[in-house]
Amino acid sequence: MGKFGFTVQATDGKARKGVISTPRGEIRTPAFMPVGTAATVKAMMPESVRATGADILLGNTYHLMLRPTAERIDRLGGLHKFMNWDRPILTDSGGFQVMSLTDLRKLTEEGVTFRSHIDGSKHKLTPERSMEIQRLLGSDIVMCFDECPALPADEATLAKSMRLSMRWAQRSRDAFGDRPGHALFGIMQGGDNRALREESATALKDIGFDGYAVGGLAVGEGQEIMFNVLDYAPGFLPEDKPRYLMGVGKPDDIVGAVERGIDMMDCVLPSRSGRTGQAWTRRGQVNIKNARHMDDPRPLDEACTCPACRNYSRAYLHHVMKSQEIICSMLLTWHNLHYFQELMQGLRDAIGAGRLSAFVADFHAQRAMGDI
Ligand SMILES: Nc1cc(CSc2ncc[nH]2)c2nc(N)[nH]c(=O)c2c1
Ligand SMILES: [Zn+2]
């Protein structure tokens, strides 16, 4: 079983270009990770996800523990075999989804009890159970079981929540055990409070992890506050380990996060918005439902090499969106994931060449021109 490792190949300001090596393959950073919540990146075959340039995808402890259960996936050979994706998988630990998807829940020092949003059955998640589920799934990068407070929140609330998450991080580390080739990432909390963020980073470094996530952001605080926190929080984390900003984001969030030293990100945005007719392009957003596209023979983006842009017109995409044809979700999801991965490749190349600021200036200039 190979090792898990991270190499920084180049830096440009705070930004890093690197490679995470895992037994199931390498992850080029900065990396965008598509979300495959219930063992599928919606509307995409795994080979298509790979074709967009993704090196790793995300799974969800919360959804998979409820259906089909981690034990069933384990009996069937693990999540990679189950969903036919043999490259790295990162799984989230479930706490965030419990707090965002259920309302019948109880939070204690032990963990969280909740009722399934699917059938109302009672369930319990603890750091120990979350580690067991992620082990049964066979994920390559395991996330600590944490508590993510909603923002805005006062300092006392943020401190109480963060300190619980740090005790859960220790329990996650103890329960994870020694699993060569598999990684455990700690999750920094502390909201938008600098002192709490530093306290959280110190606690996580004292425990020791293979990578460190910045949690507790992209919870409705807005880009300005998120960037204010990212101006200092990544710097509290070890330089030689990957830094993962959870749940981010729009293209301009991604660019700003990479400029501030973030190496990995994930977001449902390209896939979820694709299913609603929202296309992301280098010139900004295009809502294909808009009547202005009805007779437009041009592709979404003349410069894009994805199957949607190579073979279909805006008029066609408008038609299959209005008629709610399944191919619309397929084509717009593929295009969006392709665009996000192309943006990541552009960022990696720019950092490698020491021209990140020029790349970022061009990124914003193209969007300022608006859609074609
Ligand atoms: N914004 C945000 C998003 C997610 C989900 S990331 C994800 N899981 C599955 C897909 N994507 C978070 N997850 C955890 N565990 N902690 C957080 O603080 C947090 C914050
Ligand atoms: Zn395209």
Side-chain angles (χ1 to χ4, degrees):
M1 173 63 84
K3 268 174 60 65
F4 180 92
F6 178 53
T7 307
V8 176
Q9 296 166 322
T11 60
D12 188 336
K14 290 181 177 180
R16 301 113 66 86
K17 175 191 181 186
V19 175
I20 300 173
S21 49
T22 82
R24 284 200 168 90
E26 294 191 337
I27 303 157
R28 296 162 289 174
T29 67
F32 179 79
M33 306 183 282
V35 177
T37 294
T40 161
V41 176
K42 293 178 172 40
M44 296 286 287
M45 299 275 284
E47 46 269 48
S48 306
V49 175
R50 177 57 186 165
T52 65
D55 293 333
I56 176 173
L57 57 80
L58 254 80
N60 247 316
T61 288
Y62 171 80
H63 296 79
L64 295 172
M65 72 184 279
L66 298 178
R67 186 174 56 189
T69 77
E71 286 72 13
R72 175 166 288 109
I73 289 178
D74 176 47
R75 287 196 301 270
L76 291 161
L79 186 55
H80 293 81
K81 184 169 170 42
F82 189 56
M83 69 181 290
N84 189 33
W85 171 265
D86 63 1
R87 287 181 174 273
I89 294 176
L90 181 152
T91 46
D92 199 3
S93 44
F96 180 84
Q97 288 76 28
V98 170
M99 304 315 266
S100 51
L101 291 172
T102 65
D103 42 23
L104 298 172
R105 61 184 184 262
K106 190 166 173 295
L107 174 68
T108 67
E109 181 70 31
E110 171 71 5
V112 188
T113 56
F114 61 97
R115 287 191 178 277
S116 162
H117 72 286
I118 296 168
D119 62 11
S121 54
K122 278 197 81 166
H123 296 267
K124 178 177 178 180
L125 262 180
T126 63
E128 295 77 15
R129 176 64 179 144
S130 178
M131 294 302 108
E132 182 185 31
I133 289 170
Q134 296 181 76
R135 181 182 55 74
L136 288 167
L137 296 175
S139 66
D140 305 279
I141 301 179
V142 171
M143 299 308 293
C144 278
F145 187 69
D146 65 328
E147 213 269 308
C148 172
L151 288 185
D154 62 39
E155 181 166 350
T157 306
L158 290 173
K160 186 165 179 282
S161 173
M162 181 271 287
R163 289 166 189 157
L164 174 63
S165 285
M166 296 305 100
R167 293 192 295 276
W168 284 359
Q170 182 64 65
R171 284 170 53 190
S172 297
R173 174 91 265 178
D174 296 344
F176 179 80
D178 182 22
R179 301 182 60 213
H182 297 85
L184 178 64
F185 277 26
I187 304 177
M188 179 209 266
Q189 293 291 348
D192 56 350
N193 182 296
R194 187 186 179 110
L196 294 178
R197 283 279 173 187
E198 185 155 25
E199 179 185 327
S200 181
T202 304
L204 294 177
K205 286 186 285 192
D206 289 351
I207 297 168
F209 291 99
D210 305 300
Y212 296 82
V214 178
L217 290 176
V219 287
E221 74 280 359
Q223 187 182 80
E224 187 183 354
I225 292 175
M226 180 173 80
F227 281 174
N228 289 347
V229 174
L230 292 178
D231 281 341
Y232 60 77
F236 293 151
L237 298 172
E239 276 194 350
D240 63 343
K241 295 285 191 301
R243 297 159 178 168
Y244 164 26
L245 177 58
M246 305 186 85
V248 173
K250 300 191 305 312
D252 51 318
D253 295 333
I254 289 172
V255 170
V258 167
E259 287 181 285
R260 292 168 174 82
I262 293 295
D263 305 305
M264 303 159 74
M265 285 153 286
D266 85 277
C267 195
V268 294
L269 186 68
S271 35
R272 183 176 294 170
S273 63
R275 297 195 299 277
T276 68
Q278 202 72 264
W280 296 84
T281 76
R282 60 200 158 81
R283 301 282 291 269
Q285 287 174 256
V286 177
N287 187 330
I288 203 64
K289 280 188 281 202
N290 191 307
R292 71 186 181 91
H293 304 297
M294 195 182 289
D295 294 297
D296 192 337
R298 298 171 305 168
L300 272 179
D301 182 345
E302 310 272 2
C304 182
T305 60
C306 87
C309 295
R310 273 190 283 109
N311 307 312
Y312 300 92
S313 65
R314 289 174 177 225
Y316 179 79
L317 294 172
H318 175 80
H319 162 65
V320 291
M321 182 68 213
K322 295 296 271 187
S323 40
Q324 297 184 331
E325 289 293 343
I326 291 168
I327 193 170
C328 188
S329 292
M330 295 164 67
L331 291 173
L332 284 180
T333 301
W334 193 320
H335 166 81
N336 285 347
L337 289 175
H338 176 100
Y339 169 66
F340 272 57
Q341 293 301 342
E342 204 168 57
L343 176 61
M344 302 319 294
Q345 187 59 59
L347 286 163
R348 293 191 293 262
D349 290 345
I351 298 164
R355 55 177 173 75
L356 181 61
S357 50
F359 179 87
V360 173
D362 178 59
F363 168 81
H364 288 298
Q366 290 208 52
R367 290 157 55 87
M369 290 159 66
D371 183 28
I372 32 189

